[in-house]
Amino acid sequence: SITDWKILRLGVRNRLLTRRDTGTFSWLEMDTFFDNRIEKPQIGSFGSLDPGSFSNLFNRIRWSPLPWMQINLGTQTPVFDEGFSEVNLDSTFQPNRDFTFSVGNRHISGVSGLPAGSTAVSNNLQFQDSDLLYGSARLRINDDWAISAQESFEMRTKQPLYQRYSIDRTLRSWIASLSLLIFERNSQND
């Protein structure tokens, strides 16, 4: 069964457009919004995962100063109710048509309600405080073949979390990939 959930989302969206090469190009986009939870879902024995009536205040900014460069900033802060703060910053660059790379950082704090720098374990069932660095790169060898790599590293625990190395073959409407994935959790690898 699906539980009832009624939400009122209030926000503002701004877009700055410019003309480039006889076309319209979105140069800067900004969304700011929050949710008022009129009726919250009850999830099994957990009840409601967020006891407040309001969500965090969200800001999403996408800046594309050049056609080959994009910077994204996403934040959420507890303005109306208690909660956690999150800041996501990532950049994507495509210096030529065959090579693309991205780098980013995701910082989450205030989840556990403990002071910053505390080593105690959070009681939050969804996630814990985090400072994650990540990056990816993709090199197109020709029209049919490409190789790519993705990495993520948790700064708080000084541990790599995820690695993915792929060889991709374009089949026109589909892409076939052969990938090696490595997940690292505590002292156990998958």
Side-chain angles (χ1 to χ4, degrees), residues 44-162:
S45 62
F46 297 117
S48 177
L49 292 176
D50 187 351
S53 297
F54 294 94
S55 72
N56 285 348
L57 178 67
F58 292 85
N59 286 296
R60 295 181 183 152
I61 299 170
R62 185 179 73 80
W63 182 44
S64 297
L66 301 165
W68 51 269
M69 181 174 120
Q70 180 174 311
I71 298 172
N72 297 303
L73 174 65
T75 65
Q76 56 175 307
T77 52
V79 174
F80 306 109
D81 281 333
E82 290 184 18
F84 64 94
S85 297
E86 179 177 7
V87 177
N88 298 318
L89 177 63
D90 65 74
S91 304
T92 302
F93 303 92
Q94 188 174 12
N96 60 49
R97 70 175 231 158
D98 295 329
F99 182 63
T100 303
F101 68 96
S102 300
V103 292
N105 176 254
R106 172 175 291 148
H107 178 79
I108 300 173
S109 63
V111 174
S112 63
L114 299 169
S118 173
T119 57
V121 176
S122 167
N123 293 327
N124 189 300
L125 299 171
Q126 298 174 41
F127 53 87
Q128 296 178 346
D129 288 354
S130 174
D131 196 6
L132 185 71
L133 297 175
Y134 54 91
S136 66
R138 185 170 197 273
L139 176 63
R140 195 174 77 113
I141 298 167
N142 57 35
D143 287 344
D144 295 324
W145 292 94
I147 57 174
S148 61
Q150 296 175 324
E151 305 268 342
S152 66
F153 185 82
E154 176 58 54
M155 294 296 292
R156 289 174 62 91
T157 60
K158 307 284 191 263
Q159 179 180 10
L161 296 178
Y162 175 83

Side-chain angles (χ1 to χ4, degrees), residues 12-71:
V12 173
R13 175 175 289 155
N14 295 296
R15 291 176 59 192
L16 295 176
L17 306 173
T18 186
R19 302 253 324 149
R20 286 193 186 153
D21 299 327
T22 68
T24 303
F25 184 77
S26 182
W27 183 72
L28 178 69
E29 296 179 16
M30 187 169 84
D31 294 327
T32 301
F33 63 92
F34 69 94
D35 294 338
N36 180 357
R37 300 183 192 107
I38 298 167
E39 185 176 340
K40 295 180 277 192
Q42 300 299 313
I43 301 174
S45 62
F46 297 117
S48 177
L49 292 176
D50 187 351
S53 297
F54 294 94
S55 72
N56 285 348
L57 178 67
F58 292 85
N59 286 296
R60 295 181 183 152
I61 299 170
R62 185 179 73 80
W63 182 44
S64 297
L66 301 165
W68 51 269
M69 181 174 120
Q70 180 174 311
I71 298 172

